[in-house]
Amino acid sequence: MNTEALLSNVPLLVVSVSAVAAGLILLLNRPGLSARRRNVRDLVGVVAALGKFALVLTMLPPVLAGGVVESAPLYIAKDIAFYFRVDAFGLLFALLSSSLWVIVSVYSLGYMRSLRYGHEAGFYAAFALSLSAAAGIAMAGNLLTFFVFFEILTIATYPLIVHRRNKEAVYGGREYMVYLLIAGQLLLIAVAWTHFLAPGVGFTPGGFLAETGASTLALQVLFVLFILGVGVKAAIIPLHGWLPTAMVAPTPVSALLHAVAVVKAGAFGVVRVTGFVFGPELLWALGAGLILACFAAVTIIFASLKALSENHLKRRIAYSTVSQLSYIVLGAALASPAALVGAMFHIVAHGYMKITLFMCAGAIYATAHKEYVSQLDGIGRKMPYTMGAFAVAALAITGMPFFAGFVSKWNLGVGAVEAGLPIFIAVLIGSAVLNVGYFFPVVFQAYFGRCLEPETHAVAAAAEPAVPAAATAHHNHPGGHAGQEGHEDQGEARPLMLYPLLVTAAAAFLFGVVPNFGMHFLELAEIAAREVTQGGLWSVGGGVSR
Amino acid sequence: MRKASAVVLVVIALLFIYAALDLPPTGDHEAPAAVHVSPRYIESAYKETATQNMVCAVLADYRSFDTLGEVIVIVIAGIAIVYIVGVSRPADEI
Amino acid sequence: MMELIQVALLLIQVVCAVIALTSRDLMVAVILFAAFSFCSALLFTMMGAVDVAFTEAIIGTATTVFYVAVIYRVERGSSK
Amino acid sequence: MTAHLPILMAIIPLLVGMAAPLLVLLSAPLARGVVLLAALATLGCSAATLIRVLDAGRAWHYYLAGWPPPWGIEYVIDPLSGVMTTLVSFFALAALIYAGPYLEARRALEKGTFYALFLLTVGGLMGMCVTGDLFNLFVFLEICSLAAYALIAAGGRRSLVAALRYLIIGSVAASMYLLGIGYLYVMTGSLNMADVATLLPPLLDSPAGILAVVLIAAGLAIKVALFPLHGWLPDTYSYTPAPVLGFIAAVMTKVSAYALYRIFYFVAEAAGPVSATLEVLGWLAAAGILFGSIMAIAQRDFWRMLAYSSVGQVAYIILGLAIGNSLALIGAVLHIISHAVVKGLLFFIAGSIKWQTGTRRIADFAGLARQMPLTMGIFLVAAMSMIGVPPLIGFFGKWYLVLGSIEAGAWGFVAVLIISTLLTAVYFFRVIERVYELDKLRPEIEYGSEAQGLPSETSETAGRPLRVRPGTGGRLELPATMLVPVILLGVSVILLGIYNELLVTNVIQYALPWRLP
Amino acid sequence: MRKGFGSIILDVGFRHLTPFLILYAVYVLVHGHYGPGGGFQAGALLGLAVVLGRVVQGQDAELGIGLSGGLVLACTGALIFLAIGLASLLWGGNFLDYGVLPIASAPAEARALGILGIEAGVTMGVMGVIIIMFDLLTRRGERE
Amino acid sequence: MFDGVVAYYLTGYTNWWLIAILLLIGFWGIVTQQNLLKKVMALNVMQVAVILFFLNAGQKAGTTLGVLRASEKVGDVSAYVNPLPHALMLTAIVVALAITGVALALLLRVYRSYGTLEEPEVFRRMQQQ
């Protein structure tokens, strides 16, 4: 590897910015706060989000130049550094989470003020802490550091899930904790065992376990432990039970869980484990790659089918997440260069698409108090911008060309061919069809509610003309502040909720057309994939062909 | 239950008795305890502490710190009894 | 000879202890315990530990006094 | 005077403890001042000693009364005992500060005797940590136990029975330990630890040697409250006054575990019957971890829950000793520190809740988060550390234990550690849910609209009325003197966790037996 | 023992016995260097002398030592011990190293005197504690 | 009286055995006796047994007690008993007294609180309150 390490304290700053923000928010809070001080308190989160995003951006140039940003401020345990190593893949996730935090923090201000849940300080603080953990996961340079942030993330999201403090919230929270704590403990064993096999080794592109000389059986058990550990967060199918239950949380939280932090951290972890701990070669040598890919394929199809049958809007989107995440897992399991590019880019693409969908659902809930798909008749006429954004995101998720989802799916397809398993293309196509099946009825119903029943795909396809309109509406938006008041009368969401979701919808489109726009996501994914496969193409048949 | 405890007790007693066979017999001049540390006390207690009672010398000089502990223990007992019985306080408090 | 006296004293102690611990009347127990304590003091003397024997004699007295004092304050009977 | 630091740190608490009943006859505030000063001085002395020992890189031998070791008594301060004394004196200071409000309304005589007994407990524990003599260890064991029995007895009439039972069991334990020492003495003729360590190895593998080891192990295991011998602990911890309990729960069992470590690894060199005994202890510890955690789940009383939790957590230390490789021993020592800090903190918090609201049943804890937000925030940190969430200190103790078990191939122990973490999470989340009123069904919140301006925060202040102890003047949080130690310990839970590596490589590393790398 | 067993014979017997008891205690203390005996035994004897007084004359016979008196006696005894130990620090020895104390010509002599000093401390301590124990264990208490 | 091996064991080991039995009697008393006062008494028996153990270890046949004759300046090791266990046991015996005292004080208050010293009965009355 000819990567150049740049020592810097930026990663530590990135993590601490949001942690400090969490502390500040709690400190500024006291019962009976005046309106002005509440604004100050709430602004802390937004400012911290912006600052964090800027800090992450500063790391972009060196990484694009093929280097890594490193920082090892202290030792966290004997022989193990608290080690940040921002490579292309880590930066990709860090950029995603920090950019989305800016958007979500603005959105959650609007959302939380619309719905008086109370306990807002705790909410914002836990939110900031979760983002800290997500950034830490992105930038962790070795397994223990990764694990530390992984566990912090688990704990920090718990208060968010139980935020509403009603029965379902608490049950959801319990289920969440049970799943994730058990997973965390399994991951702990895996991390400890790995440390024992290869003391003090950090993530290495292409894996480092192959050189330890451990027996195949041991490595297989280790792999299972790792996948159970990170797979629960990634919601691979037998382990996904907590995710739909956790939908009771307020919508910004769902957005956070699904698009930015928790499940993405899981998917990110799967790629880290397969690509940077085991390495593609060892993965397939152990026979684990194919099995993991099969699990991913089953998850993709099965979750889509579940989504079809859900009436609750957020739960439908949640099952969609389960399905979409397994694209990433699939890419990580196939581990051919293009598949890895697809998987990594899909982390970004799915982030932007899914957060749009959730923010739309939240805006509908907060503004019109509708939760079920069947209640959405005609809502598109009341909230045209919101539903327009929803339509854009839905299109993107199905993998329509010129939308972000397409880039990742194309790469995954190519990757499947590269790996010599073109059968998985069928999975991708089947899933796309199902995506259309469960999202377009919603869009259709929203704009043409009561007129038509959303029964068939053909009918759903007829709804497409609505999309360009919404997209245009969005393009008008930067200059359209003046018109906002009028929309509000008609039941459009509050501006604090609306703007963020329009921005992400635009991004979902933009990244389809110009994948390298602004933050160079595709380029980062390509660099990372090249590192992992060491420039060569690895095929199931035999070894690496360069 | 009573029988079981009796059996256990007898077994433990037999163990003790068996283990005792490993110890030097009573009154042995060659026992480790008689040859290792204690000769110094007998030989030089007077020389070093001008005390004929070597028990007293050991107690209050060679191992005077143990004696300090002993005094503290007995005074603790006094203070403890004052604390437990001599101080009246509400019947139920924690 | 000395050994035999020691053994005899130990045997007396064993008997005293058993009776003290099984008697139903606490006062009887205390008196037997005083006897036990006295035997200890004798035994200590035989083992050459005069200082300890002296102390044991005094402490045996003190302990007995304390036991009696407590028994005055509580009921004398014991279930077994 | 620096040459006498090792003895000063044991003597200052004893001296001031003896003087306290006299001082209190002069003036109660003066007595309190002197007592706090003494605790501070003790902490200073032990910290200075620890630093000096670390600088010197070898143990510090101090000959009491000037007689060389096998004939006289010596104090040995190595990094491990330095850590233990620092821990003990730190907790002494914290508990004495915490005890302030408890003693305010008491009579002078009670104050004086309380200070005396407390400082004497501290002195006894300090002596146990630093002594290099087996019999001296017994004497100091009795000093701290006897003072502790009396302190425990002050918690109301139930505590009397608990204290009496603890006294009887504890004295049996001490007698067993003394008899074990007797066997060692008869076999080697010496009482000095280092001297016995050189004489013992050829003699150990005999019936008498085995009996000696078993007796010492059993005696100290009772003091540690290892699983089948833990009977005294739950009752005792449930009825002890909180300031005392915070201290006792934090350090007393740990110091006994430390004594076990010292005797098994430094005196008897874990070989022969010792390693067999350790193996048995290891499995008992594994059983104890599960038993303690499960019993904790079954409790409805917060204090009792924490007590059973202690049974489980203390067994971690013994588990580490039983595994016995360097990683596991690091884990054991780190867990001594971590559990001391966290359990002390939790008992202080439990005492604060009782002090503030008069309740200790978990069912009555609803709304405490509104009433004492800061204390409950710290409780969250402590609970997370107990569960083992990184980067808090509790995680790292387990981390080294897990590493050690993996290195030893003891997968059964790994499973036990993992399961126990989950069980711990269960019983703490039960409390957390209650404290933050998560399990109380709340009416669905009305949707606000912007027209009324910002939504009011009524939902944060509504709910059941707060229960405030009469005489606190309606104050929500605790009196400052009780809050200070709580905050101090809460911060140290976080800092110790983040900087645990400094502790491990600079201190605990040197606390391993010499035969280990 | 509020009332005591007082009769004229016991009373007179006690009066005549006590001085000898105290004398014997002092003898035991001082003679500790040369024969069996020492601080503990002396203290216990003195304590028992007071206890005897309580038994004979009833508890109202305070004999100058009440509860706090006993406590002060006990603590002072222990403090004397500790003070002698600390004094040797001042003269450059280790804790309790009486050999360095400037109280006799030879270190051995100094040690003997030091031993006597701490034995005196022990005596006071034990005496106080025995009195406290007896007083409080015989104190009439009501049901709680 | 006896000869050979039997005499050797009887004179050399009977003490150890009887001391062990005494110890176990104390232990048995603590475990089985239900009266708290008797438990304390059994504790005393156990402590005395331990003290006897040490003192027995310090015996040397045909020696005299540990006080130097006035004429001697340096003691003869074979003529005097081993003084170390005596010093230790003086400490242990005082510790035993202290424990007994505290135990009796607790006992007294337990009686005042519960009106009985029988352990099961005390527990029963604790439950009732």
Side-chain angles (χ1 to χ4, degrees):
Chain A
M1 264 195 309
N2 55 352
T3 51
E4 211 178 304
L6 178 71
L7 278 174
S8 151
N9 279 327
V10 175
L12 190 62
L13 275 179
V14 169
V15 171
S16 42
V17 159
S18 31
V20 169
L24 263 183
I25 290 169
L26 281 180
L27 277 183
L28 288 174
N29 184 54
R30 54 178 59 85
L33 210 58
S34 73
R36 206 170 129 258
R37 300 198 59 163
R38 267 163 55 91
N39 286 337
V40 170
R41 180 191 74 187
D42 296 353
L43 262 181
V44 168
V46 180
V47 170
L50 281 170
K52 183 171 167 180
F53 182 48
L55 279 172
V56 176
L57 270 183
T58 61
M59 292 190 286
L60 189 56
V63 174
L64 279 178
V68 290
V69 180
E70 279 188 329
S71 155
L74 72 156
Y75 276 83
I76 193 161
K78 189 167 164 280
D79 303 332
I80 308 177
F82 188 62
Y83 176 44
F84 292 115
R85 181 178 180 277
V86 191
D87 57 0
F89 183 43
L91 186 62
L92 175 127
F93 185 43
L95 271 174
L96 172 76
S97 65
S98 57
S99 64
L100 287 183
W101 187 29
V102 177
I103 293 165
V104 176
S105 60
V106 174
Y107 177 83
S108 56
L109 286 187
Y111 186 86
M112 296 306 284
R113 289 182 178 195
S114 292
L115 300 174
R116 295 179 188 170
Y117 286 136
H119 309 281
E120 284 156 23
F123 179 84
Y124 293 132
F127 209 98
L129 202 57
S130 307
L131 265 300
S132 243
I137 288 172
M139 299 184 297
N142 60 22
L143 275 169
L144 188 60
T145 315
F146 179 83
F147 177 76
V148 167
F149 286 111
F150 214 68
E151 288 289 276
I152 294 178
L153 182 61
T154 307
I155 300 297
T157 40
Y158 173 78
L160 298 175
I161 289 178
V162 297
H163 187 75
R164 283 167 75 167
R165 307 192 176 192
N166 55 23
K167 209 168 207 161
E168 303 99 75
V170 173
Y171 287 160
R174 281 184 195 164
E175 196 162 343
Y176 174 80
M177 280 321 276
V178 168
Y179 269 93
L180 290 195
L181 277 179
I182 292 176
Q185 293 306 305
L186 295 177
L187 187 59
L188 170 62
I189 301 180
V191 171
W193 196 354
T194 312
H195 173 69
F196 180 63
L197 290 175
V201 180
F203 292 126
T204 314
F208 59 83
L209 276 180
E211 289 98 56
T212 57
S215 72
T216 310
L217 179 67
L219 286 174
Q220 278 165 340
V221 174
L222 190 56
F223 184 76
V224 171
L225 285 173
F226 263 120
I227 290 300
L228 287 176
V230 294
V232 167
K233 272 206 175 74
I236 303 171
I237 212 109
L239 315 171
H240 71 292
W242 60 273
L243 187 58
T245 334
M247 279 310 100
V248 292
T251 308
V253 176
S254 312
L256 175 90
L257 291 180
H258 286 246
V260 191
V262 177
V263 294
K264 272 307 150 50
F268 179 84
V270 172
V271 180
R272 271 285 192 230
V273 168
T274 56
F276 294 78
V277 176
F278 281 83
E281 248 176 282
L282 184 60
L283 188 67
W284 283 82
L286 293 174
L290 189 61
I291 297 172
L292 187 59
C294 289
F295 266 102
V298 170
T299 308
I300 292 171
I301 300 297
F302 182 74
S304 300
L305 290 171
K306 283 285 281 187
L308 264 181
S309 61
E310 270 296 342
N311 188 21
H312 191 278
L313 181 57
K314 276 173 70 179
R315 288 174 73 93
R316 181 176 285 197
I317 304 176
Y319 274 112
S320 159
T321 304
V322 175
S323 154
Q324 294 285 321
L325 279 173
S326 280
Y327 280 71
I328 302 165
V329 178
L330 179 65
L334 292 175
S336 62
L340 280 171
V341 171
M344 291 174 182
F345 190 76
H346 199 61
I347 292 182
V348 177
H350 179 249
Y352 277 92
M353 301 180 304
K354 194 46 60 69
I355 207 163
T356 314
L357 291 175
F358 268 113
M359 291 196 296
C360 290
I364 293 167
Y365 177 66
T367 314
H369 317 313
K370 301 274 192 290
E371 287 187 81
Y372 291 91
V373 176
S374 52
Q375 298 171 324
L376 295 182
D377 294 328
I379 195 132
R381 273 165 293 186
K382 273 195 212 157
M383 310 174 69
Y385 292 139
T386 307
M387 285 316 294
F390 189 92
V392 169
L395 267 180
I397 258 184
T398 54
M400 187 66 64
F402 303 113
F403 288 92
F406 176 73
V407 179
S408 45
K409 289 192 188 182
W410 172 259
N411 276 307
L412 280 172
V414 174
V417 175
E418 274 180 355
L421 294 165
I423 182 123
F424 285 106
I425 295 177
V427 175
L428 297 178
I429 294 172
S431 150
V433 171
L434 288 169
N435 281 338
V436 173
Y438 59 77
F439 276 135
F440 280 82
V442 180
V443 177
F444 191 72
Q445 213 181 334
Y447 283 99
F448 307 102
R450 290 217 186 81
C451 312
L452 291 164
E453 288 302 310
E455 283 298 330
T456 62
H457 302 167
V459 177
E464 269 181 60
V467 175
T472 3
H474 158 67
H475 285 304
N476 292 339
H477 153 244
H481 292 279
Q484 208 54 48
E485 293 300 313
H487 289 298
E488 202 142 39
D489 294 339
Q490 288 160 26
E492 186 55 275
R494 295 159 63 118
L496 277 180
M497 283 191 271
L498 186 62
Y499 294 156
L501 65 90
L502 290 177
V503 169
T504 52
F509 174 68
L510 196 60
F511 289 136
V513 184
V514 197
N516 277 329
F517 177 79
M519 292 169 270
H520 299 270
F521 282 127
L522 188 59
E523 204 178 327
L524 288 173
E526 278 165 352
I527 293 173
R530 210 181 309 129
E531 280 175 357
V532 171
T533 53
Q534 273 134 36
L537 173 62
W538 181 86
S539 76
V540 183
V544 184
S545 60
R546 291 176 200 273
Chain B
M1 191 58 208
R2 192 159 282 266
K3 257 182 195 162
S5 66
V7 169
V8 170
L9 216 63
V10 169
V11 169
I12 298 176
L14 289 175
L15 282 178
F16 268 96
I17 286 167
Y18 175 63
L21 290 176
D22 212 41
L23 301 174
T26 307
D28 186 0
H29 280 258
E30 300 305 313
V35 296
H36 180 46
V37 172
S38 61
R40 158 135 185 202
Y41 300 134
I42 299 170
E43 282 165 358
S44 40
Y46 187 76
K47 215 167 47 194
E48 286 172 345
T49 67
T51 305
Q52 280 166 335
N53 184 351
M54 49 188 98
V55 177
C56 183
V58 174
L59 186 79
D61 197 343
Y62 291 96
R63 298 187 69 91
S64 50
F65 199 61
D66 276 347
T67 310
L68 174 62
E70 166 201 319
V71 174
I72 287 173
V73 166
I74 190 84
V75 176
I76 286 177
I79 298 175
I81 292 174
V82 172
Y83 189 65
I84 294 168
V85 185
V87 174
S88 63
R89 57 169 76 76
D92 264 315
E93 60 163 341
I94 284 175
Chain C
M1 195 56 211
M2 293 295 266
E3 289 84 3
L4 281 183
I5 296 174
Q6 287 187 15
V7 169
L9 280 170
L10 273 168
L11 280 173
I12 295 172
Q13 279 196 302
V14 168
V15 172
C16 281
V18 170
I19 297 176
L21 292 180
T22 49
S23 78
R24 280 175 186 282
D25 187 342
L26 287 182
M27 197 54 100
V28 173
V30 169
I31 288 164
L32 275 164
F33 185 75
F36 173 89
S37 183
F38 180 69
C39 287
S40 312
L42 277 183
L43 202 49
F44 294 165
T45 322
M46 303 220 55
M47 289 175 170
V50 193
D51 290 73
V52 187
F54 192 177
T55 315
E56 173 68 29
I58 294 177
I59 283 186
T61 318
T63 318
T64 311
V65 170
F66 296 154
Y67 271 123
V68 171
V70 169
I71 289 173
Y72 259 90
R73 299 273 164 243
V74 303
E75 51 190 49
R76 269 174 69 172
S78 159
S79 67
K80 202 196 79 58
Chain D
M1 242 12 185
T2 50
H4 301 293
L5 280 174
I7 189 65
L8 283 180
M9 69 187 178
I11 285 304
I12 289 173
L14 296 179
L15 184 74
V16 179
M18 283 303 165
L22 307 181
L23 285 174
V24 108
L25 292 179
L26 296 177
S27 140
L30 172 76
R32 179 165 172 77
V34 171
V35 164
L36 283 175
L37 211 61
L40 196 64
T42 314
L43 179 58
C45 283
S46 36
T49 313
L50 177 61
I51 290 167
R52 244 179 94 156
V53 168
L54 288 175
D55 279 349
R58 60 196 162 75
W60 185 349
H61 295 262
Y62 185 90
Y63 301 159
L64 284 152
W67 296 112
W71 296 284
I73 297 168
E74 68 164 341
Y75 265 13
V76 183
I77 296 96
D78 58 5
L80 182 58
S81 43
V83 167
M84 292 305 295
T85 51
T86 312
L87 197 68
V88 169
S89 48
F90 174 72
F91 267 96
L93 186 60
L96 275 172
I97 296 173
Y98 185 85
Y102 271 81
L103 292 170
E104 250 166 33
R106 301 302 166 86
R107 286 168 51 207
L109 188 62
E110 186 173 0
K111 276 185 197 168
T113 43
F114 175 85
Y115 287 139
L117 290 170
F118 192 89
L119 282 178
L120 293 167
T121 315
V122 176
L125 289 171
M126 300 290 274
M128 276 178 80
C129 292
V130 289
T131 189
D133 189 279
L134 290 169
F135 188 78
N136 198 241
L137 181 61
F138 164 77
V139 173
F140 277 87
L141 179 75
E142 286 292 8
I143 290 181
C144 75
S145 310
L146 201 60
Y149 303 144
L151 287 171
I152 288 166
R157 53 170 79 177
R158 281 157 189 267
S159 77
L160 291 171
V161 183
L164 184 55
R165 274 167 53 87
Y166 182 27
L167 184 146
I168 291 170
I169 297 174
S171 304
V172 171
S175 297
M176 284 165 102
Y177 172 78
L178 185 55
L179 191 63
I181 298 303
Y183 274 98
L184 291 186
Y185 176 67
V186 172
M187 285 192 301
T188 63
S190 179
L191 288 164
N192 182 272
M193 287 188 190
D195 197 27
V196 172
T198 57
L199 294 168
L200 198 55
L203 304 168
L204 202 51
D205 216 352
S206 63
I210 295 170
L211 196 59
V213 168
V214 169
L215 281 169
I216 291 175
L220 289 175
I222 292 176
K223 285 282 176 188
V224 175
L226 189 61
F227 162 50
L229 308 173
H230 67 280
W232 58 270
L233 188 140
D235 270 354
T236 308
Y237 279 20
S238 303
Y239 304 126
T240 305
V244 178
L245 182 55
F247 178 72
I248 285 180
V251 292
M252 209 138 151
T253 50
K254 313 303 181 298
V255 171
S256 304
Y258 156 84
L260 195 67
Y261 175 47
R262 183 150 282 260
I263 289 173
F264 271 27
Y265 278 92
F266 288 77
V267 178
E269 278 190 65
V274 175
S275 63
T277 314
L278 275 174
E279 200 170 324
V280 173
L281 287 182
W283 286 108
L284 290 180
I289 290 172
L290 296 179
F291 171 84
S293 308
I294 291 169
M295 287 303 285
I297 292 175
Q299 301 306 316
R300 280 178 296 180
D301 181 317
F302 187 47
W303 294 36
R304 231 179 157 73
M305 184 193 102
L306 293 179
Y308 274 109
S309 156
S310 273
V311 174
Q313 296 284 324
V314 164
Y316 276 60
I317 300 165
I318 305 295
L319 192 72
L321 299 188
I323 296 168
N325 52 35
S326 63
L327 283 166
L329 290 180
I330 289 177
V333 175
L334 198 60
H335 197 78
I336 287 182
I337 298 170
S338 98
H339 184 240
V341 173
V342 176
K343 194 45 71 71
L345 175 56
L346 280 171
F347 272 118
F348 281 155
I349 290 173
S352 311
I353 295 172
K354 171 85 179 169
W355 171 267
Q356 194 75 6
T357 65
T359 185
R360 33 189 281 179
R361 285 179 57 225
I362 296 169
D364 297 338
F365 278 9
L368 278 178
R370 275 182 289 125
Q371 185 168 354
M372 323 161 72
L374 187 56
T375 314
M376 287 301 121
I378 294 168
F379 165 68
L380 272 186
V381 172
M384 290 303 142
S385 171
M386 204 75 165
I387 295 169
V389 174
L392 303 174
I393 177 73
F395 168 73
F396 289 99
K398 287 184 193 177
W399 165 256
Y400 292 111
L401 287 175
V402 168
L403 275 185
S405 331
I406 291 178
E407 191 181 343
W411 294 99
F413 289 164
V414 176
V416 166
L417 288 169
I418 297 308
I419 294 169
S420 136
T421 302
L422 299 172
L423 295 174
T424 312
V426 170
Y427 59 77
F428 273 114
F429 267 96
R430 213 164 46 110
V431 182
I432 290 171
E433 281 185 357
R434 198 84 197 122
V435 165
Y436 284 85
E437 291 178 284
L438 299 178
D439 52 351
K440 194 176 65 165
L441 260 181
R442 288 162 28 124
E444 199 53 48
I445 296 134
E446 288 299 309
Y447 299 112
S449 73
E450 208 181 356
Q452 296 145 357
L454 291 167
S456 69
E457 299 225 350
T458 45
S459 53
E460 288 198 25
T461 44
R464 66 184 283 169
L466 303 176
R467 300 138 302 186
V468 181
R469 171 195 173 93
T472 52
R475 225 170 9 207
L476 291 184
E477 274 286 358
L478 293 167
T481 40
M482 290 170 90
L483 207 52
V484 164
V486 170
I487 293 175
L488 207 64
L489 287 171
V491 171
S492 57
V493 168
I494 299 171
L495 288 186
L496 280 175
I498 292 175
Y499 294 105
N500 77 85
E501 190 268 349
L502 295 178
L503 201 61
V504 170
T505 47
N506 294 328
V507 184
I508 298 177
Q509 191 83 306
Y510 303 106
L512 302 178
W514 54 269
R515 59 190 187 83
L516 289 169
Chain E
M1 303 291 154
R2 175 82 33 199
K3 297 260 300 270
F5 295 112
S7 72
I8 192 103
I9 294 172
L10 281 176
D11 221 31
V12 172
F14 166 70
R15 274 164 207 277
H16 285 92
L17 199 58
T18 310
F20 292 104
L21 209 52
I22 291 173
L23 192 63
Y24 180 56
V26 172
Y27 166 76
V28 165
L29 167 64
V30 177
H31 196 67
H33 289 55
Y34 313 106
F40 184 85
Q41 292 90 331
L45 280 174
L46 286 174
L48 285 176
V50 176
V51 166
L52 194 62
R54 297 271 208 275
V55 172
V56 171
Q57 301 193 330
Q59 199 148 54
D60 297 329
E62 251 207 353
L63 301 175
I65 304 170
L67 180 58
S68 56
L71 203 56
V72 169
L73 205 58
C75 291
T76 316
L79 283 174
I80 288 175
F81 198 139
L82 282 162
I84 292 175
L86 287 172
S88 23
L89 293 190
L90 292 180
W91 272 274
N94 278 355
F95 187 68
L96 288 171
D97 190 354
Y98 327 118
V100 299
L101 291 177
I103 44 177
S105 48
E109 300 292 326
R111 284 187 176 279
L113 282 174
I115 291 173
L116 190 63
I118 64 160
E119 295 276 21
V122 175
T123 308
M124 279 176 76
V126 173
M127 178 185 173
V129 171
I130 297 264
I131 295 168
I132 292 175
M133 278 188 184
F134 180 81
D135 278 0
L136 289 178
L137 290 179
T138 55
R139 180 142 97 180
R140 187 179 297 277
E142 61 283 3
R143 282 290 297 273
E144 293 164 30
Chain F
M1 232 176 305
F2 302 107
D3 287 327
V5 182
V6 176
Y8 174 75
Y9 278 106
L10 277 184
T11 53
Y13 288 92
T14 326
N15 276 12
W16 291 128
W17 295 336
L18 286 173
I19 289 166
I21 287 169
L22 204 57
L23 182 93
L24 287 171
I25 288 170
F27 187 70
W28 164 83
I30 290 168
V31 173
T32 59
Q33 291 303 310
Q34 295 181 338
N35 190 301
L36 288 169
L37 194 113
K38 281 201 186 159
K39 272 186 195 276
V40 177
M41 218 175 260
L43 189 62
N44 273 325
V45 171
M46 201 171 161
Q47 284 162 336
V48 167
V50 175
I51 291 165
L52 280 170
F53 181 93
F54 269 87
L55 294 182
N56 197 33
Q59 284 200 70
K60 286 192 274 186
T63 52
T64 180
L65 62 156
V67 180
L68 276 183
R69 281 174 281 264
S71 55
E72 268 181 299
K73 295 295 174 212
V74 175
D76 175 9
V77 177
S78 63
Y80 293 98
V81 75
N82 176 359
L84 181 56
H86 301 179
L88 301 179
M89 286 312 106
L90 268 173
T91 305
I93 215 168
V94 174
V95 168
L97 173 70
I99 288 176
T100 311
V102 175
L104 288 178
L106 282 170
L107 206 71
L108 209 56
R109 283 212 50 201
V110 168
Y111 184 80
R112 285 182 196 158
S113 294
Y114 294 98
T116 177
L117 284 182
E118 302 295 316
E119 204 178 18
E121 182 68 15
V122 170
F123 282 136
R124 209 177 56 74
R125 294 186 190 178
M126 259 172 94
Q127 297 294 322
Q128 282 173 356
Q129 283 168 0

